[in-house]
Every structure is written in C-alpha cells, then in structure tokens.
Amino acid sequence: YATAYALWVLAQVEQAGYAVPAEALKRAGDYLYHQLEPKPDADGSSPEILPFAPGDPLDSMRAAIALHALSQLHRTAPVAMERLYRDRSQLPMFARAFLLLAMHRTAPSDPKVAALTEELLGNLAEQQGTAQVVERISYSLDSLFHSDARSDAIVLLALLEVRADHPIIPKLVRGLLDRRPGAAWRNTQENAYALFALAQYSQRFESQPPALVTQAWMGQRSLFSVKLMASEESPHPAASVDVPIAQLLLPQAQAKGAGQDAVPIILQRTGSGRMPRIEHAA
C-alpha cells in the first residue's frame, strides 16, 4: 500500500513537470508488479496461486490500489487485473474505481470497462443537487485509511477520466464538498484525494474564466438575466436569483386551463465559461 501510494504521488509530480528519478519509479513499479503477478513455472505456464492472498478482501483492495499506481507508469499486471475484475463483488467502490482506472488506461474499449463504469454509477445516491458514493462494507477498512469522503473523491477521479460527459459529475462534486465538516476534510487522505479530484474537475470544466450572461425565459416572458465577469478580485464570480414560485405555477395553470401544452422554461448562456449551477426549491 505504501509503495503504491508513494508511486502515485511521484507520478503526479513528474507529470506536473518536476524532476523525479526514473530509476526510482522503475524500481517501485517492478516491486508492485512482482507483488501482483505470479512468476512463471519452469515450463513457462502461470501458477494458479498469485502472490497476493486468494480470497482476502483487504489484499485484493491493496492489489487494486497497486494496479492503479502501475497504470500511471503505463504498466499493467494482466493476470491480477483479470482476477480482480472476476472477483470485484468483494471490492468496495473506491477499489473498483481504482480497478476501472487501470483497466481503462490498458484497454479503454474493453466492454468490461463499460460494465464496471455502470456499476459505479449504480452505487451513487443521487439527490436533487448532490450525489455521493454508497459503500456497503461490513468490516473495518481502517488499515487502508478508508472513508466515505475519500470514496467520493476516488470515484469522481475515475468518472472524470472514463465518463467525463456524465451529468452526475457536478452533483458528485457538490456531494464531495458537502462531506467537509468545516473548511477542510477530516484528514490528510481525504484532503489529498479530494483536492486532486477537484483540481482535475476544475482543469476540465472551469479552466476558462467566466465572461457570460445567463438568461431564463418562461415562454416569451423573461425570468432573469445575470451577468458574470471574472476579475482579479473575483476569479470565480457567483450570483443568486430568486424567482417566486407563483411566477412559475400561474402560467402553467393558465395554459392547462386553456387546454394548451405546458409553458417551457428556457435557459441560455451567451459568452464564454461554464454556466453556473441552477438550483430550484419549492
């Protein structure tokens, strides 16, 4: 576990443009590979028993973490990957997310990648404005520093890489932010994965400073018009607009009374940058 975590961190450091000794990365990768893959028998065939303990859920989770770290170096351990996928029902969601990342980087068009992605999506508790991972674990994972917030962050990392266009991702971001008991998460593991996931989200969706006008209409009637312009003092401007519920219900009731179709609500963004999140409440 410690080697996999350190290797993941060092791989991020290298990708960020800092010097990391290539030999250190190779030796760490070799160590993890030999922990995962069996040494061939004398006749060249693979033995049935792998280095990590068969049927041990904790060992399988460590193997998933190690596979993810290896994938950062564009390396894989195919026998271990196939076995973990076969026995994935014993893995919590964060370990399946690590396995998904490794499989996607190895063979993105493999149908197993799509199947595993759907399993992750199927274990998210989605509410009006948020989504969070549902972990069904009956034993302690303290030795792996598990927490619900960390699972949210790791699953978010996987979906950002594998299914970045899925509409639940902004909700998962909000759910991760809601896990904070205060200004930060509870410990270094939660902070590390959460900040890394949010940085990935920001780079993909919020890298362009907003310079836009957001407008809304109900039929031909304007509901609001809000201008958002980034500045040095406010790089991520936000706005709040309240629309009385009567303004939304009355036209619908009138249309229904006249035997007409429901009046559509139209949202429009003009300019550059990401449209802000729209919330509604009755």
Side-chain angles (χ1 to χ4, degrees):
Y1 177 89
T3 302
Y5 187 69
L7 179 58
W8 173 68
V9 172
L10 289 174
Q12 304 310 317
V13 171
E14 183 184 49
Q15 291 175 18
Y18 295 91
V20 176
E23 181 60 24
L25 294 178
K26 180 182 182 304
R27 286 184 316 181
D30 289 346
Y31 169 79
L32 291 179
Y33 177 84
H34 291 303
Q35 293 298 309
L36 294 171
E37 292 290 286
K39 293 182 180 179
D41 289 334
D43 60 359
S45 62
S46 296
E48 290 296 322
I49 302 300
L50 296 182
F52 62 96
D56 183 338
L58 286 175
D59 234 16
S60 294
M61 293 173 211
R62 295 187 186 99
I65 295 168
L67 277 173
H68 169 248
L70 276 177
S71 71
Q72 296 286 151
L73 304 181
H74 308 289
R75 298 180 63 175
T76 187
V79 176
M81 185 180 295
E82 181 63 29
R83 177 178 156 194
L84 284 179
Y85 181 81
R86 183 193 66 204
D87 299 334
R88 66 191 183 281
S89 61
Q90 67 179 322
L91 295 177
M93 293 303 112
F94 79 85
R96 295 193 208 186
F98 279 137
L99 176 60
L100 173 60
L101 283 166
M103 294 178 66
H104 180 260
R105 292 166 183 167
T106 302
S109 59
D110 190 330
K112 296 175 184 176
V113 170
L116 194 49
T117 302
E118 292 303 320
E119 289 179 14
L120 287 184
L121 291 169
N123 282 276
L124 295 178
E126 184 176 2
Q127 300 180 19
Q128 177 177 299
T130 67
Q132 293 176 327
V133 176
V134 177
E135 291 279 30
R136 298 178 176 89
I137 304 171
S138 58
Y139 44 86
S140 173
L141 295 181
D142 289 347
S143 63
L144 297 180
F145 305 101
H146 164 73
S147 73
D148 291 335
R150 197 185 71 157
S151 289
D152 284 349
I154 295 170
V155 170
L156 175 57
L157 280 171
L159 293 178
L160 282 170
E161 185 166 323
V162 178
R163 192 76 66 82
D165 60 344
H166 199 283
I168 205 169
I169 285 180
K171 290 188 173 184
L172 192 53
V173 169
R174 176 56 55 183
L176 175 59
L177 292 171
D178 288 347
R179 295 276 197 196
R180 294 174 297 178
W185 290 267
R186 297 182 309 156
N187 52 50
T188 55
Q189 278 278 308
E190 290 187 359
N191 281 319
Y193 281 104
L195 290 174
F196 188 73
L198 293 175
Q200 297 289 88
Y201 175 81
S202 177
Q203 291 170 13
R204 181 177 289 271
F205 293 110
E206 298 179 350
S207 58
Q208 189 173 20
L212 56 88
V213 175
T214 300
Q215 297 173 283
W217 292 270
M218 189 165 196
Q220 299 297 316
R221 180 170 171 273
S222 175
L223 292 176
F224 63 80
S225 177
V226 177
K227 186 177 183 180
L228 294 177
M229 298 293 294
S231 65
E232 187 173 340
E233 295 77 19
S234 179
H236 299 287
S240 177
V241 178
D242 294 324
V243 179
I245 194 69
Q247 292 187 23
L248 304 179
L249 295 181
L250 183 58
Q252 302 290 4
Q254 291 173 339
K256 184 177 180 181
Q260 300 173 354
D261 294 335
V263 182
I265 295 178
I266 301 170
L267 298 174
Q268 182 187 63
R269 184 202 68 183
T270 304
S272 60
R274 188 168 177 82
M275 188 172 177
R277 187 165 56 104
I278 304 296
E279 294 184 352
H280 68 279

